[in-house]
Amino acid sequence: STDHTKNKIRKIIKKYNLNGILLNNKKNLGYGGVQKLAFEYAIKKNFSFVVMMHGDNQYPSDRISKLLINFSNDKYNAVFGTRMHSILSAYKGGMPIYKILGNKILTAFQNLILNSSMSEFHSGFRSYRVDSLKKIKFKNFSNKFHFDTEIIICMLNKGFKIKEVPMPTFYGDEISHLKSIPYGINIIKTTLKHKFQNK
């Protein structure tokens, strides 16, 4: 990151005396690569759960507990916050129409191919049981944005249970580095490829 995020995080940890650990990468590992690093760290430290949330302020960080409380039911391997429980809610949250349509179309395609019933495959607010991540060869997955889709497909292939929890979304003037058309193409290719591979 070139916006001094590292220094800002260190100041927050110090100011509020948080029990936080900052993992700083010497080079950009990519969207998926960063998650691999975090997941490996969580496994190494024997954490129970890990939460992934996009850093663009679109998801409410004060709702993390709303995800984690669902793990009190042992049947869930992952719990996701979903924007697409209501198209109207996503629109009111400032989600652009083209993103809503793209999300719904891609998700419908993936549900059809994978025989699933997800409300969306593209949530940026997710939590996982670390014991479940241990059973996934996520190191073999992409370092790009479609890493998330590979995780879901693998979980579905293994019969893992994913719960979706409705979440409000707030779109502001944050810059997204995700390019919609290349992302969509990668999602389609990944879905077709992994449909027949039980990772």
Side-chain angles (χ1 to χ4, degrees):
S1 176
T2 58
D3 61 1
H4 308 293
T5 299
K6 173 180 66 177
N7 295 332
K8 293 176 183 177
I9 293 174
R10 284 177 174 162
K11 287 180 181 178
I12 290 172
I13 290 174
K14 183 177 181 180
K15 180 178 179 180
Y16 295 101
N17 194 28
L18 300 176
N19 184 22
I21 296 172
L22 174 63
L23 301 179
N24 186 37
N25 308 315
K26 293 182 179 179
K27 65 176 182 178
N28 190 330
L29 301 178
Y31 176 82
V34 168
Q35 289 191 67
K36 292 177 187 180
L37 178 74
F39 294 170
E40 289 169 6
Y41 184 85
I43 290 171
K44 179 180 178 181
K45 295 296 183 179
N46 293 314
F47 290 173
S48 297
F49 313 106
V50 62
V51 176
M52 184 281 288
M53 183 171 61
H54 287 181
D56 53 13
N57 293 323
Q58 290 179 10
Y59 294 91
S61 59
D62 60 352
R63 303 290 183 97
I64 289 176
S65 60
K66 281 191 170 291
L67 295 189
L68 297 181
I69 196 172
N70 290 278
F71 287 118
S72 60
N73 187 328
D74 290 337
K75 73 177 182 179
Y76 297 123
N77 302 93
V79 182
F80 296 173
T82 176
R83 302 164 289 184
M84 305 308 292
H85 61 98
S86 163
I87 293 179
L88 181 60
S89 174
Y91 180 73
K92 286 183 175 179
M95 190 174 185
I97 291 292
Y98 79 91
K99 285 186 178 288
I100 293 175
L101 291 176
N103 192 311
K104 295 300 289 185
I105 291 170
L106 277 177
T107 293
F109 167 79
Q110 292 176 278
N111 279 328
L112 177 65
I113 296 298
L114 300 168
N115 193 29
S116 56
S117 57
M118 301 283 293
S119 70
E120 72 164 319
F121 276 74
H122 315 287
S123 170
F125 194 12
R126 306 174 175 218
S127 56
Y128 302 96
R129 284 190 188 276
V130 173
D131 281 347
S132 299
L133 290 176
K134 291 178 182 178
K135 300 173 184 177
I136 296 174
K137 297 177 181 178
F138 57 82
K139 292 181 184 178
N140 297 336
F141 294 166
S142 172
N143 288 333
K144 297 182 180 180
F145 285 103
H146 54 285
F147 173 88
D148 285 344
T149 282
E150 292 180 298
I151 286 278
I152 293 179
I153 293 173
C154 182
M155 287 191 154
L156 293 175
N157 282 341
K158 288 182 176 295
F160 286 179
K161 301 296 183 183
I162 302 172
K163 180 178 176 64
E164 294 182 284
V165 178
M167 286 288 168
T169 308
F170 309 98
Y171 276 76
D173 56 1
E174 297 84 5
I175 297 173
S176 173
H177 296 284
L178 188 150
K179 305 301 181 184
S180 298
I181 293 178
Y183 174 75
I185 292 172
N186 280 328
I187 292 301
I188 292 171
K189 287 167 59 178
T190 300
T191 301
L192 292 173
K193 172 184 174 183
H194 289 275
K195 161 65 177 174
F196 307 104
Q197 296 179 3
N198 189 341
K199 297 280 184 180

